[in-house]
Amino acid sequence: MGPFRSIQYGVERLKERFSIIDQRINRSTFGRVFRLEGSGHPKSIRGATFFREVRAGLTTFATMAYIIAVNSAVLSDSGGTCECPIGSQPGCPGDVAMSMCQTTLKRDLITATAALAGLSSILFGFFTNLPVALGPGMGLNAYFTYQVVGWRGSGPVPYRIALTAIFVEGFIFMFLALTGMRQWLVRMIPATIKTACGVGIGLFLTEIGLSYSAGIGAITGGFTTPLAIGGCPPEMLDGSAECSGKIMANPAMWIGIFIGGILVAFLMAFKVKSAIIIGIGLVSILSWPRNTSFTYFPYTTEGEDRYQFFRQIVAFHPIETTLAVQEWNLQGTSGAQFALALVTFLYVDIIDCTATLYSMAKFCGVVEDNGDFPRSTVAYCTDAACISIGSLFGCSPVTAFIESGAGIAEGGRTGLTAISTGLCFLISLFFAPILASIPPWATGATLILVGCLMIRQVTNINWQYIGDAVPSFVTLAFMPFSYSVAYGLIAGMMVYVVLNTMIWIVVKFTNGKVTPANWQEKEVYSFGFGRRDMPGWLRFVRRKLFSEHATGGVRKDGIELVDCDSTIDHASRSASAEDKHIQVLSDRRHQECDLPSLD
C-alpha cells in the first residue's frame, strides 16, 4: 500500500497546485476579460474556470478534428482551380493530370481548413465570449461542391465565381446584422420552433454519429428503405451503399460504442473530468496499429495513403492553388452565374448559420427573455466576416459548428473554449498528420451523447396546442432526415404559417365562436419587429430624430404580442389605454435546461 499511497498523495498535491493556478488566473485581469468565476466582474459566469474552459475547448476540437480531412476531401471533389482538357467529358474521368492536380488541391485545403477554423474560432471567442467554434460547414461544403460547382466543375457555377459570391455574401450578412435583420430573423421564429431547432440539431448530431462518414457506422443509406442497418466493414458496402453481409459485425464500430460511448457515459455518471477526451483518445490510439481488424490504416490504396500521411507526424503544406482566386470579371455569362451562386448561398446560409448559432447560444444558457443573446450583433458580424475570409482561403461558407455542444457539455461557458479550440486548429497546421488520423468511430459516440443532452429540450415544446406541436415536430424530424438545419427550419415555418393561418381564418370569421381544441394553450406570436426589438444604434437615432412625446404616444390597442421565445401560455394583466382598463396577454418563460455539472 506504500507506493499506492505515495502516488495518491502526489496526485492530490498536483491537483491542489492546479487549483491554485486556476484560482489565480480566474482572479487576474485575464479572468475578468472573460468573466471567469471569482474574477470580480459584475457579470461573472458561475462555474467558468480557466482549466475547465481549456478542457472544454480540447473536447470541441476533438469532435471537430475530422473536418480537417473530411472538408478537404469534399471540396477537392469540386476540382477547385484544376481544369479539364478542352474537349473532354464533364469532370474528365480518368484524366491523370486532373487527379494529380486534385491531390495538390486536397493538401492545400487541409491547410486552409485548419487555418480558417483556427482563425475564425479565436476571433469569435474573443469578440463574443461564447463557447462556440466556427469552421467550414459540413453540410454547406457538400452543397457548394455537388449542387453549385459540381463534381470537378461540372455544375452550373465555376469554382472561382462561387468563391466570389461567398466573399460578397459575407458583407451582405454583416449589413443585415448591423441593421438588426439577422436578429429579427431569430425573433420572428416562434419560440416552440426555435426550441424544436435545438432538438432537431441534437437528432442531426445523432445521425451523423451513427453514419459511416463521421461516426461509428451503425446506419447507412438504403435502397428499398430510406435508412438501413449498417455495422459492416466498409468493404462490405455494395453499390447501393447497403451492407451485403456481416451486419453489425464491424469491430471498429463496437470499439467506438463501448469505449467511445458506454465508457464515456460511465465516466460522466461519476463526473470524471475530460471523460469525452479520454474516450476519443483511447479509441484513436487503439485504431492506429495496422495489424488489427479495426485499424484506421488498412492495407488498401486509401489506407496506405492515410498511413503515409500519418507517418509524417509533423508536416506543414503551404497553400499553392486556392488562396485569393476569386473571379472579379463578371461580364457576360459570369454575371448570371455570380447572381445564381449569390442567391443560392444567401437563402441557405442565412437560415443555416443563424439557426445553428442561436441553438448553440441557447444550449449554453445565455439566451435572454427577449430571444436575443449577449453581443449578438458582434457575433453575427464576426460570423459574416469569417465567411468572407474563408472564401479567400478557397473554402465554402463558415458557420457555427454544432459539435460545439460537446465542449459546452464538458463545461465550456466562455469564449476561452472557442479560443482553445482555435489554437488547437492552428497547432494542427503542423500536426495535421496525427489530428487528421482520428477515426470517425472515435468521435461518433461522442456526437450521440451530445445529441442526448440536446434532445432534453423537447419537454419545452408546446405540445398542448396542435398549431404549435405539428410545426415543431416537422422541424425536429426534417433536420436529420433532410441532413440540413436550413431545410428543417424552412419546413417547420411553412407548416406553421399555413396551419395557423387556416385556423385564424376560421376563428376570425366566426367571431371566436368556433375555436380549435386547447385554443387557450396556444403560443402568443409576434413578428418581433417592435420598437424594443430594434438594434441599439437604431433606437439611438430614433431618440435623436424624434422627441419623446412623438415616439411615446398613446397606444390605441391594448394587446401587446410579446416575444415568442418567452411565451407559451397566456395570463392576464391590466393596462390603460384611453382611460379604459383592458386585458392584455402576459408571458410565461420557457424553462431552460440546466446542463449537468461534469466537475
Side-chain angles (χ1 to χ4, degrees):
M1 293 297 291
F4 177 77
R5 289 182 178 177
S6 298
I7 295 174
Q8 187 178 24
Y9 176 74
V11 171
E12 290 177 355
R13 287 293 302 274
L14 187 63
K15 290 175 65 176
E16 289 178 2
R17 291 182 180 179
F18 272 106
S19 179
I20 293 172
I21 296 173
D22 205 17
Q23 293 175 11
R24 286 181 179 176
I25 296 176
N26 292 348
R27 293 193 296 265
S28 66
T29 303
F30 179 85
R32 189 177 178 85
V33 169
F34 292 99
R35 303 181 181 183
L36 300 180
E37 186 177 32
S39 63
H41 194 284
K43 294 183 179 180
S44 61
I45 301 172
R46 182 173 60 88
T49 64
F50 176 75
F51 285 120
R52 180 179 293 174
E53 297 298 312
V54 172
R55 186 174 71 242
L58 293 175
T59 301
T60 299
F61 171 74
T63 59
M64 282 180 63
Y66 73 92
I67 73 171
I68 296 175
V70 175
N71 186 60
S72 58
V74 172
L75 290 181
S76 63
D77 276 352
S78 69
T81 54
C82 303
E83 296 181 357
C84 290
I86 299 176
S88 61
Q89 297 180 3
C92 48
D95 187 78
V96 177
M98 183 66 172
S99 299
M100 293 178 64
C101 182
Q102 272 191 295
T103 301
T104 302
L105 173 67
K106 185 175 180 180
R107 299 287 167 83
D108 287 350
L109 290 170
I110 287 175
T111 302
T113 300
L116 180 58
L119 177 62
S120 57
S121 295
I122 290 173
L123 289 175
F124 193 83
F126 180 77
F127 286 118
T128 68
N129 202 32
L130 291 174
V132 180
L134 305 185
M138 286 297 99
L140 296 175
N141 63 2
Y143 188 81
F144 174 91
T145 298
Y146 303 114
Q147 299 295 324
V148 179
V149 179
W151 180 70
R152 290 187 173 182
S154 58
V157 181
Y159 175 78
R160 296 175 185 269
I161 293 179
L163 292 181
T164 306
I166 293 172
F167 183 83
V168 174
E169 174 198 7
F171 286 95
I172 294 176
F173 278 4
M174 190 175 297
F175 171 78
L176 294 177
L178 290 174
T179 56
M181 293 302 293
R182 284 189 77 176
Q183 294 88 323
W184 172 73
L185 178 65
V186 173
R187 293 191 186 103
M188 72 171 290
I189 300 172
T192 187
I193 289 185
K194 283 189 282 191
T195 303
C197 281
V199 178
I201 288 175
L203 292 174
F204 190 10
L205 276 175
T206 302
E207 185 179 33
I208 293 173
L210 289 171
S211 68
Y212 274 88
S213 60
I216 59 177
I219 61 173
T220 182
F223 181 74
T224 56
T225 58
L227 291 175
I229 190 70
C232 61
E235 60 270 15
M236 297 298 295
L237 294 173
D238 57 23
S240 60
E242 293 190 48
C243 289
S244 58
K246 296 186 177 181
I247 293 177
M248 300 300 287
N250 186 5
M253 179 196 68
W254 290 110
I255 288 177
I257 290 174
F258 281 104
I259 298 180
I262 296 177
L263 176 62
V264 171
F266 173 79
L267 296 176
M268 290 173 66
F270 291 95
K271 300 180 180 179
V272 175
K273 297 179 180 180
S274 306
I276 294 176
I277 295 178
I278 292 172
I280 293 173
L282 284 175
V283 176
S284 298
I285 293 172
L286 287 173
S287 302
W288 285 339
R290 302 199 72 179
N291 296 318
T292 64
S293 58
F294 47 84
T295 179
Y296 190 54
F297 311 116
Y299 292 99
T300 61
T301 303
E302 185 179 4
E304 190 64 32
D305 184 61
R306 290 177 190 162
Y307 183 67
Q308 294 303 322
F309 187 52
F310 173 73
R311 288 182 59 186
Q312 298 178 38
I313 300 178
V314 178
F316 176 77
H317 177 82
I319 300 176
E320 299 174 0
T321 63
T322 63
L323 199 60
V325 294
Q326 284 83 1
E327 175 60 66
W328 293 105
N329 183 8
L330 302 179
Q331 297 179 353
T333 58
S334 297
Q337 292 170 335
F338 168 80
L340 174 63
L342 182 61
V343 172
T344 300
F345 283 123
L346 272 176
Y347 99 88
V348 173
D349 292 356
I350 195 169
I351 296 175
D352 193 296
C353 300
T354 305
T356 303
L357 183 54
Y358 174 85
S359 296
M360 289 298 100
K362 189 167 186 176
F363 187 46
C364 63
V366 297
V367 173
E368 299 168 348
D369 291 342
N370 64 353
D372 209 349
F373 56 89
R375 306 184 189 181
S376 61
T377 300
V378 177
Y380 290 129
C381 285
T382 306
D383 169 59
C386 291
I387 288 175
S388 295
I389 294 173
S391 74
L392 296 175
F393 283 84
C395 288
S396 55
V398 170
T399 185
F401 255 76
I402 55 180
E403 282 84 351
S404 301
I408 296 172
E410 188 72 15
R413 293 295 181 272
T414 73
L416 271 178
T417 296
I419 291 175
S420 300
T421 302
L423 290 174
C424 288
F425 272 111
L426 294 183
I427 293 173
S428 72
L429 286 170
F430 305 95
F431 294 94
I434 293 178
L435 299 172
S437 299
I438 296 177
W441 54 87
T443 58
T446 295
L447 298 180
I448 296 171
L449 290 174
V450 174
C452 174
L453 295 178
M454 294 191 69
I455 202 173
R456 294 182 307 171
Q457 302 175 61
V458 73
T459 57
N460 291 331
I461 294 175
N462 184 22
W463 296 110
Q464 304 302 316
Y465 175 59
I466 196 168
D468 294 331
V470 172
S472 300
F473 180 76
V474 170
T475 301
L476 67 89
F478 215 83
M479 283 186 182
F481 292 134
S482 66
Y483 217 73
S484 170
V485 174
Y487 292 151
L489 183 55
I490 291 171
M493 284 299 298
M494 183 192 70
V495 173
Y496 184 92
V497 171
V498 173
L499 177 60
N500 284 283
T501 299
M502 293 170 62
I503 293 174
W504 178 84
I505 291 173
V506 172
V507 174
K508 185 72 174 178
F509 279 87
T510 60
N511 292 322
K513 295 179 181 179
V514 178
T515 59
N518 296 326
W519 173 249
Q520 71 280 1
E521 299 291 340
K522 69 182 178 66
E523 182 183 80
V524 182
Y525 178 72
S526 167
F527 284 102
F529 209 55
R531 185 170 54 183
R532 68 192 181 98
D533 299 311
M534 295 179 180
W537 69 269
L538 194 56
R539 290 196 298 268
F540 175 78
V541 172
R542 184 187 177 95
R543 286 196 301 268
K544 291 296 182 182
L545 294 179
F546 303 97
S547 60
E548 287 298 321
H549 69 273
T551 59
V554 178
R555 283 192 308 170
K556 297 296 182 181
D557 58 320
I559 297 180
E560 177 187 1
L561 294 180
V562 294
D563 189 88
C564 301
D565 189 55
S566 57
T567 54
I568 59 172
D569 197 3
H570 7 146
S572 62
R573 62 180 179 179
S574 56
S576 175
E578 298 180 345
D579 299 324
K580 294 182 180 180
H581 292 284
I582 61 174
Q583 297 297 318
V584 298
L585 301 173
S586 68
D587 63 327
R588 187 181 62 173
R589 298 179 183 175
H590 275 302
Q591 296 178 349
E592 297 288 347
C593 293
D594 291 330
L595 296 175
S597 173
L598 301 181
D599 190 9

